[in-house]
Each structure stands twice: as C-alpha cells, then as structure tokens.
Amino acid sequence: HRQVGSFFMKDDHDTLTDDSHPGDRTGDLTFDDGLRIFREQTAPAEPPYRAVRWGRHLEVWLLEGRDTRSSTAADRTGVPTILGPEQIAWLERTLAASDATFRVLITPTPIVGPDRTTKDDNLSNAGYRQEGERIRALLARHRNLIVITGDRHWQYHSVDPETGLHEFGCGPASDEHAGGTPGLDRVRHRFHRVLGGYLSLEAAREGGVATLRLRHRDVRGGEAHAHTFTRKV
C-alpha cells in the first residue's frame, strides 16, 4: 500500500454482519458503530462515493452500497434502495458529463448478477428489482460502460439480456473461499469459474483505436479469461 494507490470499499462484513442493513446489530455492536469504525480506519472522503479520471480514455466510478442503503423497516413502506437518491442523482449527472472513451463502474455488490435466489442483498436480487432495473437502464445509455463487482465467491463475466450491460465479478482472493455460486447461467454468463484470483484491467491506445482489456486471473496471476472492448478515437 506504500507503492500502489488504494481505495477501500466496504460491504456487509466490513460494516457488521452478513447482508447487514441500517438498524441491524450483533451483540453490543450496531450497524452505525460499523460505519464509524470503517471511517476511522480508512479515512474516506465525504461523500464516500467518487469518480476518478485517468487520462483521456478512462474514468472510474466507485460506488457506496451501505451508507446509502435503506433499512429493513423502511423497505416495508417504500421502494428498497441500495444507492439512495443522492448517489443515483450524482451518478446520472457525472456519467452524462463524462467524455471518457471508457467508463468503469466499481460496485461492492452485483448489478447484473445472476446471484443466488436465496440472497436479497444487491441490485440483481428480487427484493431490489425496481432500483436494479432503473440502474441497469441508466448505465446502458452510455456507450463503452462496464461494471466491476466483488462480494461474490466466484469469478464471472455476465451480460444483461435486457440492456446489454457487461459485468465482471473479480471473485475471491483465494481458492479456499470459492463457492456458493448459483451455477452457470447460459443466458447471462460469458465466463464462470468457481475458483479464486483477481481481475486486472488495461486501457491503451494504438493509432486510432482505444482498447479496454479485462483479464480474470487465477491466484498465481495466470490468465483464466479475457475480454477486450475497442473504440475508434
């Protein structure tokens, strides 16, 4: 971390417990305590979501999925939200203002999925169907935009059949933590692997063509899957 820039992004276990929401607690530790401790340890900017421009061809959005999430009690009377109205408005505004060749959205939990039917924690799950459909439609309006996500214990590359939105799941960091997948989805999956590793990304330009290449790698860095987006510039 002294040599490589890092952005610390929290999810359920980084805040409290599995699939935790505002208002939850475990023993004496509350969800709000978890948010406070994370801020103390990582010193994020406020608001914690942000966009980072990297040259002419790449802009990266880093989303927040816990601070902005509605509580279980609120979900009973209103439309459940993960991103919240302020973050959604910011996302819509900044995406429209961007002239980057490629846009990469990094989110703690999936937007496309698929995920297990027993889960109800992210925008690919049934409980967040309304916001999920809205966000997928919003993202699909922008050319050369992809989604990268964590918090799934398998590696995958999916394409939403309704919008054509691409999503890449980086998977767990170790083979020992791989599992829990709903299995291969022949409609959505372009790649599906129940092992650990990571995801690397490279943006480049050669002549009049810009490329964005994503590689799923195994725990030793070997390439398991690759996909390249191209655009004339």
Side-chain angles (χ1 to χ4, degrees), residues 56-135:
R56 173 183 173 186
H57 295 298
L58 180 64
E59 190 162 0
V60 179
W61 281 257
L62 301 130
L63 300 188
E64 168 59 46
R66 293 292 154 181
D67 285 14
T68 51
R69 183 179 295 248
S70 54
S71 67
T72 303
D75 291 348
R76 298 190 187 103
T77 58
V79 177
T81 181
I82 289 176
L83 300 180
E86 291 183 5
Q87 184 173 199
I88 293 173
W90 165 84
L91 179 61
E92 189 167 15
R93 182 175 67 253
T94 54
L95 284 173
S98 175
D99 63 352
T101 305
F102 299 108
R103 301 169 175 89
V104 175
L105 197 80
I106 301 178
T107 170
T109 54
I111 294 175
V112 173
D115 194 15
R116 288 165 286 177
T117 56
T118 55
K119 295 283 283 186
D120 197 15
D121 186 51
N122 60 71
L123 293 178
S124 73
N125 294 146
Y128 295 92
R129 179 184 57 80
Q130 288 179 263
E131 183 165 291
E133 291 176 351
R134 177 185 177 187
I135 295 302

Side-chain angles (χ1 to χ4, degrees), residues 20-209:
S20 50
H21 288 69
D24 289 352
R25 68 183 302 131
T26 178
D28 293 331
L29 189 69
T30 68
F31 187 89
D32 288 343
D33 288 334
L35 297 181
R36 175 181 53 78
I37 293 168
F38 187 87
R39 292 190 186 98
E40 176 187 82
Q41 296 299 313
T42 63
E46 293 295 342
Y49 48 86
R50 67 182 71 178
V52 180
R53 185 65 181 258
W54 191 267
R56 173 183 173 186
H57 295 298
L58 180 64
E59 190 162 0
V60 179
W61 281 257
L62 301 130
L63 300 188
E64 168 59 46
R66 293 292 154 181
D67 285 14
T68 51
R69 183 179 295 248
S70 54
S71 67
T72 303
D75 291 348
R76 298 190 187 103
T77 58
V79 177
T81 181
I82 289 176
L83 300 180
E86 291 183 5
Q87 184 173 199
I88 293 173
W90 165 84
L91 179 61
E92 189 167 15
R93 182 175 67 253
T94 54
L95 284 173
S98 175
D99 63 352
T101 305
F102 299 108
R103 301 169 175 89
V104 175
L105 197 80
I106 301 178
T107 170
T109 54
I111 294 175
V112 173
D115 194 15
R116 288 165 286 177
T117 56
T118 55
K119 295 283 283 186
D120 197 15
D121 186 51
N122 60 71
L123 293 178
S124 73
N125 294 146
Y128 295 92
R129 179 184 57 80
Q130 288 179 263
E131 183 165 291
E133 291 176 351
R134 177 185 177 187
I135 295 302
R136 287 187 290 274
L138 164 62
L139 300 181
R141 294 205 300 262
H142 301 278
R143 293 183 59 194
N144 297 305
L145 183 150
I146 66 161
V147 177
I148 293 175
T149 187
D151 194 41
R152 301 299 90 173
H153 292 243
W154 60 93
Q155 294 183 322
Y156 69 90
H157 170 197
S158 291
V159 180
D160 178 40
E162 300 297 325
T163 63
L165 180 65
H166 288 253
E167 180 172 89
F168 296 80
C170 63
S174 68
D175 289 339
E176 288 77 7
H177 286 90
T181 173
L184 177 67
D185 184 315
R186 297 189 181 278
V187 174
R188 294 174 177 82
H189 281 137
R190 300 298 182 269
F191 169 73
H192 178 265
R193 177 176 180 268
V194 193
L195 285 170
Y198 60 97
L199 184 68
S200 65
L201 181 152
E202 180 183 7
R205 176 184 174 182
E206 185 173 345
V209 178

